[in-house]
Amino acid sequence: MPKTALIMIEFQNDFLSEKGALAGAGIWKRAKDHNTVGKMKKVLEAARKAGPDKCLIIHSPIGFREGYPELAKTHPGLLKGAEEAGGFKKGEWGAEITDELKPLSDETVLDKRRLCGFTDTELDGLLKNLGVENLMIGGFVTNWCVEATGRSAYDRGYHPVFLKDCMDAFTDEEQKFAEEKIFPVIGEVLTSDEAMAKFL
Amino acid sequence: MPKTALIMIEFQNDFLSEKGALAGAGIWKRAKDHNTVGKMKKVLEAARKAGPDKCLIIHSPIGFREGYPELAKTHPGLLKGAEEAGGFKKGEWGAEITDELKPLSDETVLDKRRLCGFTDTELDGLLKNLGVENLMIGGFVTNWCVEATGRSAYDRGYHPVFLKDCMDAFTDEEQKFAEEKIFPVIGEVLTSDEAMAKFL
Amino acid sequence: MPKTALIMIEFQNDFLSEKGALAGAGIWKRAKDHNTVGKMKKVLEAARKAGPDKCLIIHSPIGFREGYPELAKTHPGLLKGAEEAGGFKKGEWGAEITDELKPLSDETVLDKRRLCGFTDTELDGLLKNLGVENLMIGGFVTNWCVEATGRSAYDRGYHPVFLKDCMDAFTDEEQKFAEEKIFPVIGEVLTSDEAMAKFL
Amino acid sequence: MPKTALIMIEFQNDFLSEKGALAGAGIWKRAKDHNTVGKMKKVLEAARKAGPDKCLIIHSPIGFREGYPELAKTHPGLLKGAEEAGGFKKGEWGAEITDELKPLSDETVLDKRRLCGFTDTELDGLLKNLGVENLMIGGFVTNWCVEATGRSAYDRGYHPVFLKDCMDAFTDEEQKFAEEKIFPVIGEVLTSDEAMAKFL
C-alpha cells in the first residue's frame, strides 16, 4: 500500500482557461507564466510510472450542483464569490479538469465543495485506510485551498509536502508568504524535481 | 430550503437482482415478496412532485473502486463479505441503482464505502448547510446500513423517520427487532403512506 | 504504542446505583445480578498490569453541562429521556464513574454527549494517532451506546471486541440479539476471560 | 439560544508568562506591548454581561497528557515544537488559562490537541446544536491556531469575526498578512470595540 499520495487541487478550466468563469482572478495567466500545469504534469506522470503501490493519485476538483445548494447557508467570502461568478458547475466545461491532467479511469477523483479538501469528503478515510503518510500537494490557490488542505493534513497527522512550483497564488507576495512563513512550519517545501526524487 | 430529505440506501442490482453478486443474501427475494421497491418508488415520486423546496432527494448507494482500496485495512465482517463476493464495484452493472429508482440528473447521489451513510461522505455537511431536519430513510439492509445511518442521524441532531415498508432485513426476526426495539427509541417508524401524508 | 484499547462506557452512578437518576431503567439491578462491574474491574486491572504500551485505558462517561445545552436541538428519544430524568449532570455525583472503576490520574477520560463514543469527541484522533487497532468494549447500554460505538468503530477501520459479560441491555432479549445477530457480524464477541487471554 | 460565540484560543501561561515554556516564542512580550489580554478581557466581560442567550463563551486552550500521546505519530512542525519545549502539559501551571481570563464554572472549556479548534473536539457539534452562526475569535497565534480555527469555521458554514486587537502573531509582518490578506476573504476583521458594538 502506498505511503505517499499526490493531491492535485482545482486544476480546472474555470481557473486555468482565459475563458473560465474565474478568469478574472488571473490564475490562468500566472499558471501560464510559470508553466505550473507542465510541472504538475511531470509529477503526475512520474506518479503514474511509480505505480499505485508507491503513490496514490488523487484529483481534487471543486464542484457545485445546479443552484449551488452546497452553499445555501454559507456566509460571504471566497466560496460565495465562486457562486456569484457562476464558477465550478459540475457537469459543465468550466468544472472539468484541464486536458493535460485529465484523470485516468483508475485514478481517484474526490469532488469537494469547500476550501479544504478534507471537509465533508472521503479523503481522510481513504488515506488512513491505506496508511498513507506523505501528501504531495499542488494546485490552486496557494494561500486558499492548497494551504487549507495542507494545514488540515498536518492536524490530521499527515506530512504535507508542498510542491512550490506546482501551485500559484493571486500575487507574488502571497505565494512568497505561504512558501516562507507557513508551509515550512507544518511540512516540507520542495520543487517538483526535488519531490519526485524523494518520494517517487 | 427543504426541512426533509429522503435517503434511499443501496437500492442496487447486486442486492435487488437474482443475478446480483449478493443474491445469496436473499434480499432480492424478500424485497420482491414485500414489494419494497414499488413502495419506495411511490415515496420517491411523491418527493419529486413535492419539489426540492419540500424534500431533498438523496440516493445513497455503496460502491468500491477497482481492487477495493477503501477496504484495505478493514477487519473481517460485513464489508469484507461484500468484497469477497465481488459486490458493488463502481462502474459495473451490479453497483447501479435499480431501474425503477434510477436517479434523475438533478438528484443527489452520494456514494458511500461504509455501513453508515454519514461516514466519510458529504451527507452531514449538505444537510446541515440546507437546514434539513427530518430524514426519511429506506433501503437495505434494515439492521445494517439503514440502522447505522439512522443511529448516526439521531446522534447528529436529525429526526430519523424509518419507512418500515421500504426496507428489508435478512430475516423477519431482525426486521421486527429494528422496528420495535431500536427505531422507535431514536425516531419515528412509519409506513410509506403515513410518511408521505406527514412529510410530503 | 498500544495495539489495543479498552473502552468502558457509562459506568456511572446514575446507571449503576439504585439511587441514580436513571435507576428506573433497571440497569443497576441487571448489572448487580450479573456482576458486570466486577467482571469489568478484572479486565481493567489486567489492562493496568499490562501497561500503556499494551493497552490504552479509556473511560467513556456521558455528561451534560448545566441546562443540557448539548441537547438543545436534539429530537425526542433516548438522549432527551436522560435530560428529562435529570441524569448525567457533569460535576454531580450521578455522572461520576462508579467507585470500583474510578479512573487513575494517568488514564484517559473522554466525556461524550451522544450515544456513540466517537461523535464529537477526541476518540478517533487519539486512537488513529497511536495506531490502536483492537477496541475492547464494555458498558451500558448494550444495544445503545455500546453498540453505537462498536458499529462506528467498525466503520472507521477498527476491530471491535465486545466483552459480552461486561455489559447489560435493558432486557435479556435485547442482550441476546446484540450478542448473536449484530456483534459477530462486525467484530468478535468474547467473555472477559477470553478477551484478557487474547489481548492483554 | 445564542447566535454568537466567543472563542478564546490559548490564553495560557506557557504563552503569556515570561516564565512559560514557550516564552522563547515571544508572544508574552507582544501581548504585553499590545495589551492583548486586557482587550480580550473587555470582550469577555461584555459577553458575560450579555448573557448565555446572546453569546456562548468558549475557552479553547491546548493541552497534552503525560508523555504527549496525542502527538505520537505527528510529524515535525509546530506541534512537535511545543512538545520539545515541554509546553502545555495538562494539569500543570503552564497549561492553565491566564488569571485575568480564568473561566467561570458555567463557561465552556474545550481542550484541543491540534492547531485547529475544531479538530477532534466537541466544538462543531456544540455550535451546530445551539444554532450559533457568528464566531468571534481571539488568541494565539494569529497565523496558526487562530487562523486555522477561522478557516475551518468558514468551511463549516460559520461567519468568523476576527478580533484583530485580541490576538498576536510572532511578527508584525505575519499579523498584517493575516489581517489584510486572509481574514477579510473569509470573514470580518474588527477591533474589540467594533465587535462588542455589533455582536454583544
Side-chain angles (χ1 to χ4, degrees):
Chain A
M1 291 190 291
K3 280 280 192 211
T4 298
L6 170 63
I7 304 187
M8 290 167 290
I9 298 179
E10 298 180 33
F11 283 89
Q12 294 163 276
N13 292 325
D14 272 341
F15 262 151
L16 288 172
S17 163
E18 202 173 344
K19 291 172 184 156
L22 277 299
I27 289 295
W28 68 271
K29 181 74 172 57
R30 296 180 64 82
K32 197 175 160 191
D33 291 349
H34 300 149
N35 188 26
T36 312
V37 174
K39 285 174 180 164
M40 187 79 267
K41 194 177 179 180
K42 273 184 62 180
V43 182
L44 175 57
E45 283 170 353
R48 282 172 178 164
K49 208 173 150 194
D53 286 338
K54 187 84 181 176
C55 181
L56 178 70
I57 295 172
I58 298 178
H59 300 266
S60 179
I62 193 165
F64 301 99
R65 298 184 183 86
E66 179 69 27
Y68 296 82
E70 301 89 350
L71 300 179
K73 281 189 173 174
T74 297
H75 293 272
L78 207 52
L79 291 165
K80 280 296 191 182
E83 178 180 350
E84 279 155 26
F88 302 121
K89 290 181 184 171
K90 261 193 218 182
E92 301 198 1
W93 169 83
E96 279 174 23
I97 290 172
T98 189
D99 283 343
E100 288 108 310
L101 305 174
K102 204 59 85 193
L104 300 184
S105 64
D106 63 341
E107 289 170 5
T108 301
V109 182
L110 297 184
D111 285 342
K112 68 192 186 71
R113 283 82 33 186
R114 301 287 164 176
L115 301 180
C116 172
F118 287 95
T119 308
D120 295 334
T121 72
E122 182 196 356
L123 185 54
D124 196 38
L126 184 64
L127 296 175
K128 290 264 168 61
N129 178 63
L130 287 168
V132 170
E133 290 187 14
N134 308 301
L135 303 194
M136 297 191 298
I137 309 177
F140 312 99
V141 178
T142 301
N143 308 267
W144 295 107
C145 294
V146 170
E147 184 176 327
T149 304
R151 282 172 175 262
S152 184
Y154 179 69
D155 248 27
R156 292 163 189 263
Y158 302 100
H159 176 59
V161 178
F162 297 97
L163 308 173
K164 67 181 172 181
D165 54 356
C166 300
M167 59 178 69
D168 282 293
F170 293 127
T171 65
D172 286 349
E173 182 203 357
E174 289 166 299
Q175 177 69 27
K176 192 173 138 76
F177 189 89
E179 273 182 35
E180 296 182 1
K181 302 295 182 187
I182 302 294
F183 295 164
V185 181
I186 53 174
E188 254 175 307
V189 189
L190 300 179
T191 63
S192 48
D193 284 337
E194 291 166 344
M196 284 186 285
K198 184 160 181 184
F199 292 103
L200 294 179
Chain B
M1 289 191 295
K3 282 279 194 210
T4 299
L6 171 62
I7 304 186
M8 290 166 291
I9 297 177
E10 297 179 34
F11 283 90
Q12 293 163 275
N13 291 326
D14 272 341
F15 263 151
L16 289 171
S17 161
E18 202 172 344
K19 291 170 184 158
L22 279 299
I27 289 295
W28 68 272
K29 182 70 172 57
R30 296 180 63 84
K32 195 174 162 196
D33 291 348
H34 300 149
N35 188 26
T36 312
V37 175
K39 284 173 180 166
M40 188 77 268
K41 194 177 179 181
K42 274 185 62 179
V43 181
L44 174 58
E45 284 171 351
R48 283 172 177 165
K49 208 172 150 192
D53 286 339
K54 187 83 181 177
C55 181
L56 179 70
I57 295 171
I58 297 176
H59 300 265
S60 180
I62 193 165
F64 302 98
R65 298 183 182 86
E66 180 67 27
Y68 296 81
E70 302 88 350
L71 301 180
K73 280 188 173 176
T74 298
H75 293 272
L78 207 50
L79 292 164
K80 279 296 191 183
E83 179 180 348
E84 280 155 26
F88 303 121
K89 290 180 185 172
K90 263 195 217 182
E92 300 198 2
W93 168 83
E96 278 175 25
I97 291 172
T98 188
D99 283 343
E100 289 109 308
L101 305 175
K102 203 58 86 191
L104 300 183
S105 65
D106 63 342
E107 289 171 3
T108 302
V109 181
L110 298 184
D111 284 342
K112 66 191 187 70
R113 281 84 31 190
R114 300 288 163 176
L115 301 180
C116 172
F118 286 94
T119 307
D120 294 333
T121 72
E122 182 196 357
L123 186 55
D124 197 37
L126 184 65
L127 297 175
K128 289 266 167 59
N129 178 62
L130 288 166
V132 169
E133 291 186 12
N134 308 301
L135 302 194
M136 298 190 299
I137 308 176
F140 310 100
V141 176
T142 300
N143 309 267
W144 296 106
C145 294
V146 170
E147 186 176 325
T149 305
R151 283 172 175 262
S152 184
Y154 179 69
D155 247 28
R156 291 161 190 264
Y158 302 100
H159 176 60
V161 178
F162 297 97
L163 307 173
K164 66 181 172 182
D165 53 355
C166 300
M167 60 180 66
D168 283 293
F170 292 127
T171 64
D172 286 348
E173 182 203 358
E174 288 165 300
Q175 177 68 26
K176 192 172 139 76
F177 189 88
E179 274 183 34
E180 295 182 2
K181 301 294 183 187
I182 300 294
F183 295 164
V185 180
I186 53 174
E188 256 175 305
V189 189
L190 299 179
T191 64
S192 49
D193 284 337
E194 290 166 345
M196 286 186 282
K198 184 160 180 185
F199 291 102
L200 295 178
Chain C
M1 290 190 292
K3 282 280 193 209
T4 299
L6 170 63
I7 304 186
M8 290 167 289
I9 297 178
E10 298 179 34
F11 283 88
Q12 294 163 276
N13 292 325
D14 273 341
F15 263 152
L16 289 172
S17 162
E18 201 173 345
K19 290 171 183 157
L22 279 298
I27 289 295
W28 68 271
K29 182 71 170 60
R30 296 179 63 83
K32 196 174 161 195
D33 290 349
H34 301 148
N35 188 26
T36 312
V37 174
K39 285 174 178 164
M40 187 79 265
K41 194 176 178 180
K42 274 184 61 180
V43 181
L44 174 58
E45 283 170 352
R48 283 172 177 163
K49 207 173 151 194
D53 286 337
K54 186 86 180 175
C55 181
L56 179 69
I57 295 172
I58 298 176
H59 300 265
S60 180
I62 194 166
F64 302 99
R65 298 184 183 85
E66 180 68 27
Y68 295 82
E70 301 88 351
L71 300 180
K73 281 189 172 174
T74 297
H75 293 273
L78 208 52
L79 291 164
K80 279 296 191 182
E83 178 180 349
E84 279 155 26
F88 302 121
K89 291 181 184 171
K90 263 194 218 183
E92 300 198 2
W93 169 84
E96 278 173 24
I97 290 171
T98 189
D99 283 344
E100 287 109 310
L101 305 174
K102 205 57 86 192
L104 300 185
S105 65
D106 63 342
E107 289 170 2
T108 301
V109 181
L110 297 183
D111 285 342
K112 67 192 186 72
R113 285 81 33 187
R114 301 289 164 175
L115 301 180
C116 172
F118 287 94
T119 307
D120 295 333
T121 72
E122 181 196 357
L123 185 55
D124 196 38
L126 185 64
L127 297 175
K128 289 264 167 63
N129 178 63
L130 287 168
V132 169
E133 291 187 13
N134 309 301
L135 303 194
M136 297 191 297
I137 308 175
F140 310 100
V141 177
T142 301
N143 308 266
W144 296 106
C145 295
V146 170
E147 185 176 327
T149 303
R151 282 172 175 262
S152 184
Y154 179 69
D155 248 27
R156 292 161 188 264
Y158 302 100
H159 176 58
V161 178
F162 298 97
L163 307 172
K164 66 182 174 182
D165 54 354
C166 298
M167 59 179 69
D168 282 293
F170 293 127
T171 64
D172 287 348
E173 181 203 358
E174 289 165 299
Q175 178 68 27
K176 191 173 140 75
F177 189 89
E179 273 183 35
E180 296 181 0
K181 302 294 183 185
I182 301 295
F183 296 164
V185 179
I186 52 173
E188 255 175 306
V189 189
L190 300 179
T191 63
S192 48
D193 284 337
E194 290 166 342
M196 285 186 284
K198 184 161 181 184
F199 293 101
L200 295 178
Chain D
M1 289 188 295
K3 281 279 192 210
T4 299
L6 171 63
I7 304 188
M8 290 166 291
I9 297 178
E10 298 179 33
F11 284 89
Q12 293 164 274
N13 291 326
D14 272 339
F15 263 151
L16 289 171
S17 164
E18 203 173 344
K19 290 171 185 157
L22 279 297
I27 288 295
W28 69 271
K29 183 69 171 59
R30 296 180 64 83
K32 196 173 163 196
D33 291 349
H34 300 150
N35 188 25
T36 312
V37 174
K39 284 174 180 164
M40 188 79 266
K41 193 178 181 180
K42 273 185 64 181
V43 182
L44 174 58
E45 283 170 353
R48 282 172 177 164
K49 208 173 150 193
D53 286 338
K54 187 83 181 175
C55 181
L56 178 70
I57 294 170
I58 297 177
H59 300 265
S60 179
I62 194 165
F64 302 99
R65 297 184 182 85
E66 180 68 25
Y68 297 81
E70 302 87 351
L71 301 179
K73 281 188 173 176
T74 297
H75 293 272
L78 207 52
L79 291 164
K80 279 295 190 182
E83 178 179 349
E84 279 154 26
F88 303 121
K89 291 181 185 171
K90 263 195 219 183
E92 301 198 2
W93 169 85
E96 278 175 26
I97 290 172
T98 188
D99 283 344
E100 289 109 309
L101 305 174
K102 203 58 83 192
L104 300 183
S105 65
D106 63 342
E107 290 170 3
T108 301
V109 181
L110 297 184
D111 285 342
K112 66 190 186 71
R113 281 84 31 188
R114 301 287 164 177
L115 302 179
C116 171
F118 286 94
T119 307
D120 294 334
T121 72
E122 182 196 357
L123 185 54
D124 196 39
L126 185 64
L127 297 175
K128 289 265 167 60
N129 178 62
L130 286 167
V132 169
E133 291 185 13
N134 309 301
L135 303 195
M136 297 191 300
I137 308 177
F140 312 99
V141 176
T142 301
N143 309 267
W144 295 107
C145 294
V146 171
E147 185 176 325
T149 305
R151 283 172 175 262
S152 183
Y154 178 69
D155 248 28
R156 292 163 188 262
Y158 301 100
H159 176 59
V161 178
F162 297 97
L163 307 173
K164 66 181 172 182
D165 54 355
C166 299
M167 59 179 68
D168 282 294
F170 292 127
T171 65
D172 286 350
E173 182 203 358
E174 289 165 300
Q175 177 68 27
K176 192 172 140 75
F177 189 89
E179 275 184 34
E180 295 182 2
K181 302 294 183 187
I182 301 294
F183 295 165
V185 180
I186 53 173
E188 256 176 306
V189 189
L190 300 178
T191 64
S192 49
D193 284 338
E194 290 166 344
M196 284 186 283
K198 185 160 180 183
F199 292 103
L200 294 178

